[in-house]
Amino acid sequence: MTRRTTEQTEPAGQTGQPRPAARPSAAARPVRWAAEAVAAAPDAVRPHLDHSPQSLWRVDRWIAELRRTGAAPASVEDLLRGLGAYAGEVIVRRSGAEWWASGGDHWVRTPDGRLWEPLDEARRCFGGHGSLRLLCRDAVPGSR
């Protein structure tokens, strides 16, 4: 089990200012994967990846473009994992959710107790059967 990822603080450090609490260890890999995906984004897309629900429109279109160009699933697996992690981070930041991990799998648990699979949703999106934007809409109230 992990700690919540909402804005928690730890006691003041040497500067007298409260320090943000450490993110749970389950978040370490997804946060890194998301950052790598953002860094790999085309120049026209990267500035719009601001962790807003609206930014997932561009992510869905980017994944659709990868599919249209005939990219082999194995060649984009790491990127899809990162884009799924990016969507998970949008959900975490917008809803107070937290990352959960077990056996190498990663999920996002929203405050209402539901588990979401943004990494798998990115793969479904690449297959033409999913949407990270819609996943976020369903997971985060008011994110239309």
Side-chain angles (χ1 to χ4, degrees):
M1 191 143 127
T2 59
R3 292 187 301 167
R4 296 194 54 78
T5 59
T6 55
E7 294 292 319
Q8 301 173 349
T9 58
E10 294 179 352
Q14 292 178 344
T15 64
Q17 297 294 319
R19 295 179 299 215
R23 300 265 320 253
S25 61
R29 285 184 173 170
V31 168
R32 186 180 75 239
W33 296 332
E36 290 169 355
V38 169
D43 290 340
V45 174
R46 190 177 316 112
H48 303 285
L49 300 181
D50 59 2
H51 291 91
S52 68
Q54 296 79 14
S55 69
L56 295 174
W57 280 94
R58 291 192 189 265
V59 174
D60 277 349
R61 287 191 299 239
W62 182 13
I63 293 171
E65 183 62 25
L66 291 170
R67 183 177 62 250
R68 275 192 297 276
T69 62
S75 71
V76 294
E77 179 60 31
D78 289 345
L79 178 59
L80 293 173
R81 180 185 63 196
L83 294 174
Y86 173 83
E89 271 297 290
V90 171
I91 295 168
V92 165
R93 293 177 184 200
R94 298 294 168 162
S95 72
E98 60 189 354
W99 281 102
W100 281 42
S102 176
D105 293 326
H106 291 79
W107 305 276
V108 170
R109 183 178 181 266
T110 50
D112 61 10
R114 294 184 293 167
L115 289 173
W116 302 87
E117 298 180 288
L119 284 75
D120 287 341
E121 189 68 14
R123 292 181 196 103
R124 285 190 288 275
C125 190
F126 182 73
H129 308 311
S131 168
L132 294 171
R133 178 187 61 82
L134 295 178
L135 177 79
C136 181
R137 184 195 69 188
D138 292 345
V140 180
S143 66
R144 294 191 187 272

